[in-house]
């Protein structure tokens, strides 16, 4: 079986790493241009070298993972049996990508979207291939959960294929009926948004809010730190989808969250969010 992954950002590269580590499948990491795909693979190679230096993984294993991941552009996915889309969380962009790829890929290629909040049914509208959601969590190579979400027209055999694929990766799949935000983000992102509000209202310092949730709710990471880890731009995008799709004011993104995103304070990936970071990536 051949797996194509489109999107060489954090999630796309993480999904590629997972397939390389856990399966014998042929694997290609693609982007709209070869330079972007190469950059994604190089970032993974550097990360694995750091793990080797820290004694977390041996050199042979790191070299094997890198050797498994080929790179290419959209047209190189034409023989793929499964195509996994992991581009930014934008409905129009995801729809247009699949509409483009339906003319490149085989008719029986299973199209997978790694959306964290958008409608699977709408993403798959007018797409000839079967479309299903498989929401991996960051870091994809570590997190066990995969939320599998069928659209209105997703057949049972496609759901079964997605479940088997997740299990091939040693993941724990949960089938979720299509709804905005699925399960985890429907609960998690509003919690982060509420923590932003507590900080903005001067209720407590960032560190104290995070400490309260770690000690009081036994969370391994506080909500504001987690927001930095996810990416505050992603948190904002999900809140906006929740508000738009439900029409419920409880999902209104906090103005401070909007301001921070506008200012480029996105968290770990920009070096500054609710905390500051030395390791920009």
């Amino acid at each position: 079986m051949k797996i194509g992954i489109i999107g060489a950002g954090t999630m796309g590269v993480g999904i590629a790493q997972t397939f390389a580590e856990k399966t014998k499948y042929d694997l290609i990491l693609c982007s709209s241009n070869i330079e972007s795909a190469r950059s994604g693979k190089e970032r993974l190679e550097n990360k694995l070298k750091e793990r080797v230096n820290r004694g977390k993984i041996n050199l042979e294993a790191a070299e094997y993972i890198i050797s498994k991941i080929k790179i290419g552009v959209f047209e190189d996915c034409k023989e793929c049996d499964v195509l996994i889309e992991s581009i930014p969380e934008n409905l129009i962009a995801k729809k247009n990508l699949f509409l483009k790829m339906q003319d490149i890929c085989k008719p029986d290629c299973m199209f997978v979207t790694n959306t964290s909040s958008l409608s699977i049914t709408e993403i798959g509208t007018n797409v000839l291939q079967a479309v299903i959601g498989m929401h991996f969590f960051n870091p994809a190579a570590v997190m066990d959960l995969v939320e599998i979400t069928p659209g209105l027209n997703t057949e049972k055999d496609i759901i079964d294929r997605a479940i088997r694929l997740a299990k091939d990766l040693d993941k724990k799949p949960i089938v979720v009926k299509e709804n905005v935000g699925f399960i985890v983000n429907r609960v998690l992102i509003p919690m982060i948004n509420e923590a932003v509000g507590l900080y903005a209202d001067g209720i407590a310092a960032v560190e104290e809010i995070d400490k309260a949730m770690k000690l009081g709710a036994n969370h391994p990471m506080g909500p504001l730190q987690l927001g930095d880890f996810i990416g505050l731009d992603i948190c904002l995008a999900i809140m906006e989808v929740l508000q738009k799709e439900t029409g419920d004011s409880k999902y209104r993104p906090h103005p401070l969250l909007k301001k921070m995103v506008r200012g480029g304070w996105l968290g770990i990936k920009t070096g500054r969010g609710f905390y500051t970071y030395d390791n920009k990536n």
Side-chain angles (χ1 to χ4, degrees):
M1 182 153 65
K2 185 171 183 178
I3 309 294
I5 298 169
I6 292 184
T10 299
M11 286 306 301
V13 170
I15 294 168
Q17 178 186 351
T18 306
F19 273 97
E21 287 182 351
K22 299 294 185 179
T23 74
K24 300 294 184 181
Y25 299 147
D26 292 332
L27 180 63
I28 185 164
L29 176 67
C30 296
S31 188
S32 57
N33 61 78
I34 196 67
E35 290 78 14
S36 177
R38 182 178 294 110
S39 175
K41 183 175 179 178
E42 287 174 351
R43 289 198 309 275
L44 175 58
E45 188 170 7
N46 291 334
K47 184 176 79 170
L48 291 175
K49 285 179 180 177
E50 291 176 5
R51 294 188 65 196
V52 169
N53 293 336
R54 296 198 305 267
K56 300 293 185 180
I57 188 174
N58 62 54
L59 180 60
E60 292 76 16
E63 289 177 342
Y64 175 78
I65 291 168
I66 292 299
S67 70
K68 283 279 294 177
I69 302 173
K70 311 304 179 187
I71 59 172
V73 293
F74 294 164
E75 289 72 19
D76 295 314
C77 293
K78 62 183 179 181
E79 297 301 323
C80 288
D81 301 291
V82 177
L83 184 75
I84 302 174
E85 164 275 311
S86 189
I87 65 173
E89 194 76 344
N90 179 285
L91 179 64
I92 300 302
K94 290 178 185 289
K95 287 179 66 172
N96 287 342
L97 174 64
F98 281 144
L99 289 171
K100 177 181 180 67
M101 295 308 297
Q102 72 177 353
D103 296 326
I104 295 172
C105 294
K106 301 183 296 185
D108 61 348
C109 179
M110 182 173 77
F111 282 4
V112 173
T113 173
N114 183 47
T115 178
S116 57
S117 63
L118 300 171
S119 167
I120 310 302
T121 299
E122 189 163 1
I123 290 172
T125 301
N126 298 324
V127 177
L128 299 177
Q129 286 84 347
V131 178
I132 191 165
M134 290 183 70
H135 177 209
F136 292 80
F137 290 79
N138 187 29
V142 175
M143 299 294 282
D144 287 334
L145 178 64
V146 175
E147 289 179 320
I148 294 177
T149 306
L152 182 64
N153 300 314
T154 307
E155 301 290 342
K156 185 179 183 303
D157 66 306
I158 299 300
I159 301 172
D160 292 340
R161 283 179 65 186
I163 291 171
R164 289 195 300 271
L165 192 63
K167 290 181 176 179
D168 287 346
L169 298 169
D170 290 338
K171 301 298 185 186
K172 294 178 173 61
I174 294 175
V175 178
V176 184
K177 289 184 179 179
E178 184 175 6
N179 74 96
V180 59
F182 314 136
I183 294 175
V184 173
N185 283 338
R186 184 75 172 262
V187 176
L188 177 63
I189 303 302
M191 181 189 73
I192 293 172
N193 191 61
E194 189 67 23
V196 174
L198 287 173
Y199 171 64
D201 291 344
I203 303 301
V206 168
E207 295 82 358
E208 296 302 304
I209 294 169
D210 280 348
K211 183 189 293 185
M213 292 305 294
K214 287 191 285 186
L215 299 180
N218 203 28
H219 290 184
M221 185 183 292
L224 297 175
Q225 184 183 10
L226 181 57
D228 278 358
F229 187 83
I230 294 169
L232 297 181
D233 53 335
I234 295 173
C235 294
L236 175 59
I238 294 172
M239 284 301 297
E240 289 175 336
V241 171
L242 287 168
Q243 184 183 39
K244 178 182 177 182
E245 291 292 319
T246 66
D248 195 325
S249 61
K250 73 179 181 181
Y251 295 119
R252 180 181 68 91
H254 196 280
L256 177 59
L257 179 61
K258 291 183 176 181
K259 184 185 294 186
M260 292 177 71
V261 171
R262 288 168 181 158
W265 293 15
L266 308 183
I268 289 176
K269 59 188 171 186
T270 59
R272 186 166 187 176
F274 286 100
Y275 297 85
T276 56
Y277 305 88
D278 293 329
N279 55 329
K280 297 183 182 182
N281 50 28

